[in-house]
Amino acid sequence: MEKNPEARGSGAPALELRDVTYAYASRPRLKILNGVSASFEEGVMYAVVGPSGCGKSTLLSLLGGLDVPVSGEVAAAGAPLGRGDLARHRRENVAFVFQGYNLVDYLTPAENVALATRLPALPLLEKVGISAEDARRSVLALSGGQQQRVAIARALGSDARALLCDEPTGSLDEDTADEIADLLVRAAHEEGRCVVAVTHSRDLARRADRVLRLKRGRLVRER
Amino acid sequence: MPFPRRALLYLARKRGKTLTLLALLFVVAALALTSWSIRGAAQTAQLNVRQALGGTFTVEPDSSNMSNWGSSSVGSGSQITFQGDPLTADFVREVVEGVDGVRGGSGSVSNVLIPETTDGSAALELVEGADGDSSLAAAYAGDDFGRTVQFYAVSDSAFDSYFANGYLRLVDGEPVTEDSGDGVLVSREFAEKNGLAVGDEFSVRRATVHAQMAGIDVEDTRTRVRVAGVFEPTAKSQADLASWSMDNAIFGTISTLDHAREGTAEQGYDRVTFQVDDPAELGRITGEVEGLDALAGKGYLVSADTSDVDAVSAPLENMDRLVTALAAASVAVGAVVLYLVLSGRVRDRLHESGVLLSLGLSRASVVGQYLCEVLLVAAVAFALAVPASSLAARTMGDALLGSASESVQTGGGDGGVSTADGVSTVSGDPFAPTFEVDGASFTDIEVEVGPTSVAALFGVGIGVSAAAVLLASLPLRRMGPREILSTLS
Ligand SMILES: Nc1ncnc2c1ncn2[C@@H]1O[C@H](COP(=O)(O)OP(=O)(O)OP(=O)(O)O)[C@@H](O)[C@H]1O
Ligand SMILES: [Mg+2]
């Protein structure tokens, strides 16, 4: 696959961090993010890497409106987010994909997709390789890879311009992880979404258009 | 996907959890509804008992204060008589009209007389007593005293304690009052034995031994009477002398008795029994009666005896308390258990809540789903509890009310003496017949799950369930989405 990050993307920033500082209330001295500024564009897949506990998940939760920075601001499509905008931001601008256990276990794959979108579920599931038959089974009967596909189909079904993924391949074998990586790359390149994937996986990072490393509260572009 | 649909899918697919919750809510609801219904029946039973037994008070000369009494010689002996104003029908009227809440009253004085044909040529046949005191009967074997029956002179038989308390029931003719002249009431069995019907006549006279004591000729005591009405006992009775049983008793006027036993009218009634509308007001009523001019300071004793009512009510009251406590406890314990179960479940579903919140669903939608699930199950559980507790209340209620009424010992009205074997005398007269009282009739009540209980169950049940869900969901409201989502990893 050709790698030309500068050519990719519309250039429109889906999400931005503007001089963001963050510390947990229980440890206010420890600045997990310290004056971070970054822009995440549509049509680009980003990988955020860094040692365990450095604050990658925290960064993702700020981007997703699950929490607010101590200082600085988070902006979506150029507009800064206030506290009152968070629920709408979660509903309209972003979609999450986690390491596992993304699904509601008493709902079928099709119903899980229907939680986030009014679009027909079956075509969305087919796009990520879930057959119509599997779409109506219990999610508990699906493999980990299949479950992760359903979560991605659900994210793709929403109108969200940004997909925020926390270790999306963390619990999967190499081949399956590769298939998931394909789906994320396609989401960025074919659907023009902004994909931010937090990961320890070198393979996944290699597939990203850009790699950002989080180190002592700073976000540094590696590639 | 709207939250009620998620709720339905949860209930349908997590069948084990749904059934557990259903069983829990069903048991609590059935317990509460059953005990509540039995409580209602116990209260109805108490009310019945009060209305059936209660509400009687008696006025009689105070025998503990001898200054009102004097002795006079009669024939070969002497007798002690009350020196105050006699108790008369006028006195009864004065009390009934002068005090609010008194339904009516009747004076009563009794003596033993012998019933015979009109011309005295033959004795009337008596109803064989069940089992009187045979030694007493043997003592009078050679005497006409063995043929005496109880004659009750009453001022209004309808309010006489035997009739007012339901021991006797008039089945033909009219009650006797002071205006009835020679009219009398006899029992149906006595009337049938002697071919008597309403309007027929016979006569009564004193026993030979009594006439001799008074120094008069027996024939002078003979008086003609006319059957004015026929009564029937509603319970079995027993007397010291077989012939004194209620089946042989005659109710008549004081003028008839005075003809047979001169001086009776002048001395007035031995006692007057009054019936009141509401037994709860007995205290006020007797207080007012004691203050009446006709009574005040004249040596009368006014007594209201509620011990009979209390004896019947006590076991029912205990049961009332028990089932009330049971109903309250089942609701309280049910609410606590429900809260514990639901908060456990909310904790187990924190992760699911996090997923839903991360998808942009509102907290209201998440809590609304939990609320919807519990209320749907509660509605079904309560609907099932209604027929179940209706059945349980009927069987358990019958058994409980039955055992409560078995321990009931009842007495009659005016100063009736209750005894441990459920036998009671109705008047204060120690020779009066005693009755076996069937306490069950007071508690023979349909135990039902009424529409108000059902409405209360749904109201309280839905309220408690909703409160338990909202309380159990508090962690969800307190935690930020980030904290909830940290449970994902
Ligand atoms: N709710 C919290 N309160 C206080 N400190 C927290 C909280 N959540 C995380 N932390 C701390 O913040 C730091 C960053 O956590 P975060 O989960 O963002 O790390 P991470 O880079 O995602 O780690 P990993 O790669 O292991 O997932 C860690 O030191 C963690 O212990
Ligand atoms: Mg993390």
Side-chain angles (χ1 to χ4, degrees):
Chain A
M1 193 188 293
E2 189 212 11
K3 284 250 176 77
N4 186 355
E6 306 307 325
R8 291 228 181 276
S10 62
L15 297 169
E16 289 167 84
L17 297 175
R18 297 174 178 166
D19 198 19
V20 165
T21 298
Y22 185 87
Y24 282 99
S26 55
R27 276 187 293 174
R29 293 265 176 77
L30 180 70
K31 295 200 166 57
I32 294 176
L33 299 180
N34 196 356
V36 172
S37 292
S39 176
F40 299 89
E41 289 166 17
E42 290 185 4
V44 179
M45 174 165 167
Y46 299 84
V48 178
V49 298
S52 187
C54 72
K56 302 182 297 294
S57 295
T58 307
L59 176 89
L60 213 56
S61 70
L62 288 170
L63 286 174
L66 294 171
D67 211 337
V68 287
V70 173
S71 69
E73 60 189 22
V74 180
L81 295 175
R83 268 191 183 274
D85 304 323
L86 296 182
R88 189 187 47 79
H89 175 64
R90 288 199 295 273
R91 194 164 54 245
E92 294 175 1
N93 301 334
V94 299
F96 289 93
V97 176
F98 303 103
Q99 176 167 356
Y101 320 108
N102 282 305
L103 306 178
V104 177
D105 67 357
Y106 54 86
L107 299 179
T108 63
E111 287 159 354
N112 265 282
V113 171
L115 284 173
T117 180
R118 286 178 197 280
L119 295 175
L122 292 187
L124 286 167
L125 286 165
E126 213 183 304
K127 230 197 272 186
V128 298
I130 300 290
S131 69
E133 192 193 335
D134 282 342
R136 295 195 186 90
R137 290 164 64 190
S138 162
V139 294
L140 297 172
L142 301 181
S143 72
Q146 284 174 312
Q147 289 192 24
Q148 203 61 314
R149 286 162 189 274
V150 175
I152 291 169
R154 187 175 64 193
L156 294 177
S158 75
D159 294 333
R161 297 313 298 157
L163 260 55
L164 305 178
C165 314
D166 200 343
E167 302 282 8
T169 59
S171 55
L172 304 175
D173 65 73
E174 240 169 81
D175 287 349
T176 316
D178 223 37
E179 289 163 15
I180 297 298
D182 278 344
L183 289 174
L184 294 178
V185 170
R186 268 163 51 198
H189 296 177
E190 290 172 18
E191 297 201 21
R193 314 247 184 171
C194 166
V195 178
V196 182
V198 162
T199 186
H200 286 293
S201 156
R202 274 169 226 265
D203 288 336
L204 184 60
R206 205 173 297 129
R207 303 288 302 274
D209 300 314
R210 285 177 206 165
V211 178
L212 306 170
R213 177 169 296 276
L214 188 58
K215 211 173 177 179
R216 284 193 225 98
R218 304 246 169 218
L219 197 57
V220 185
R221 183 169 159 183
E222 277 201 344
R223 198 179 74 219
Chain B
M1 189 187 297
F3 69 83
R5 182 165 153 70
R6 291 203 309 273
L8 281 173
L9 290 172
Y10 177 86
L11 294 179
R13 302 216 176 120
K14 299 270 181 181
R15 226 159 289 159
K17 288 198 184 284
T18 305
L19 289 178
T20 316
L21 186 63
L22 185 76
L24 171 68
L25 285 165
F26 170 80
V27 167
V28 173
L31 252 169
L33 198 54
T34 304
S35 40
W36 195 256
S37 306
I38 295 175
R39 175 180 182 269
Q43 285 178 341
T44 312
Q46 280 183 65
L47 202 72
N48 285 7
V49 164
R50 292 232 158 82
Q51 282 169 355
L53 288 184
T56 315
F57 70 94
T58 310
V59 177
E60 60 196 324
D62 186 357
S63 57
S64 65
N65 184 352
M66 287 315 289
S67 66
N68 294 316
W69 299 73
S71 117
S72 58
S73 66
V74 178
S76 57
S78 70
Q79 68 177 27
I80 294 172
T81 50
F82 183 61
Q83 302 293 296
D85 295 342
L87 291 170
T88 61
D90 283 339
F91 168 80
V92 177
R93 258 189 298 282
E94 217 168 307
V95 171
V96 173
E97 279 160 19
V99 179
D100 244 14
V102 181
R103 199 187 300 161
S106 175
S108 163
V109 54
S110 68
N111 219 302
V112 293
L113 297 178
I114 296 172
E116 291 182 336
T117 53
T118 316
D119 57 5
S121 60
L124 291 188
E125 224 180 303
L126 300 184
V127 178
E128 307 261 319
D131 36 24
D133 184 335
S134 54
S135 64
L136 197 56
Y140 295 110
D143 199 319
D144 63 7
F145 188 83
R147 292 197 279 115
T148 55
V149 302
Q150 291 283 353
F151 186 97
Y152 296 93
V154 294
S155 68
D156 186 349
S157 68
F159 287 104
D160 177 77
S161 53
Y162 285 108
F163 287 94
N165 290 330
Y167 294 105
L168 302 180
R169 195 176 56 220
L170 196 65
V171 292
D172 198 8
E174 314 240 290
V176 294
T177 67
E178 267 210 343
D179 302 329
S180 299
D182 58 359
V184 293
L185 307 179
V186 295
S187 81
R188 189 210 286 283
E189 219 182 327
F190 179 83
E192 278 170 3
K193 250 191 156 58
N194 295 290
L196 294 170
V198 171
D200 289 350
E201 295 185 340
F202 64 100
S203 72
V204 289
R205 66 163 173 87
R206 298 194 79 181
T208 311
V209 58
H210 285 162
Q212 281 168 355
M213 264 158 52
I216 47 174
D217 181 359
V218 151
E219 278 311 311
D220 290 344
T221 70
R222 180 179 308 284
T223 178
R224 182 197 291 254
V225 293
R226 178 183 47 83
V227 178
V230 176
F231 65 83
E232 212 173 54
T234 58
K236 222 169 79 183
S237 69
Q238 205 178 59
D240 287 340
L241 209 56
S243 64
W244 292 355
S245 84
M246 254 309 143
D247 291 319
N248 293 319
I250 300 170
F251 288 80
T253 60
I254 199 166
S255 63
T256 301
L257 185 56
D258 187 64
H259 199 281
R261 184 175 174 278
E262 226 186 302
T264 305
E266 199 187 318
Q267 280 168 29
Y269 294 106
D270 276 354
R271 80 184 61 77
V272 184
T273 308
F274 292 96
Q275 314 291 326
V276 303
D277 292 325
D278 183 359
E281 285 200 76
L282 263 177
R284 173 195 60 86
I285 290 172
T286 52
E288 278 184 38
V289 169
E290 275 163 354
L292 286 179
D293 287 344
L295 253 101
K298 292 190 175 166
Y300 292 114
L301 186 69
V302 179
S303 49
D305 183 5
T306 55
S307 62
D308 308 321
V309 183
D310 297 343
V312 183
S313 303
L316 291 171
E317 253 165 49
N318 287 340
M319 199 171 104
D320 182 3
R321 263 195 292 277
L322 186 82
V323 290
T324 304
L326 197 65
S330 53
V331 169
V333 171
V336 170
V337 171
L338 194 63
Y339 166 72
L340 291 176
V341 168
L342 290 180
S343 58
R345 288 191 176 185
V346 168
R347 218 175 309 118
D348 289 348
R349 293 172 75 179
L350 216 51
H351 158 76
E352 173 193 337
S353 309
V355 171
L356 294 176
L357 289 176
S358 77
L359 291 173
L361 274 68
S362 66
R363 278 198 183 80
S365 166
V366 175
V367 176
Q369 177 189 345
Y370 298 160
L371 201 59
C372 203
E373 287 166 9
V374 173
L375 295 191
L376 277 173
V377 173
V380 173
F382 296 167
L384 291 177
V386 171
S389 48
S390 177
L391 196 73
R394 212 166 298 149
T395 35
M396 278 169 52
D398 285 353
L400 284 173
L401 283 174
S403 69
S405 58
E406 255 170 44
S407 59
V408 157
Q409 292 140 21
T410 55
D414 58 322
V417 182
S418 300
T419 55
D421 52 0
V423 169
S424 68
T425 62
V426 176
S427 69
D429 185 347
F431 295 110
T434 56
F435 279 92
E436 269 175 34
V437 175
D438 180 14
S441 63
F442 300 122
T443 54
D444 190 13
I445 287 156
E446 188 83 5
V447 183
E448 268 180 325
V449 176
T452 42
S453 320
V454 175
L457 169 70
F458 274 85
V460 172
I462 298 285
V464 166
S465 308
V469 173
L470 294 178
L471 215 61
S473 305
L474 271 184
L476 212 58
R477 320 208 90 231
R478 272 202 303 265
M479 286 169 83
R482 163 105 180 101
E483 286 159 302
I484 294 171
L485 280 174
S486 66
T487 66
L488 288 174
S489 32

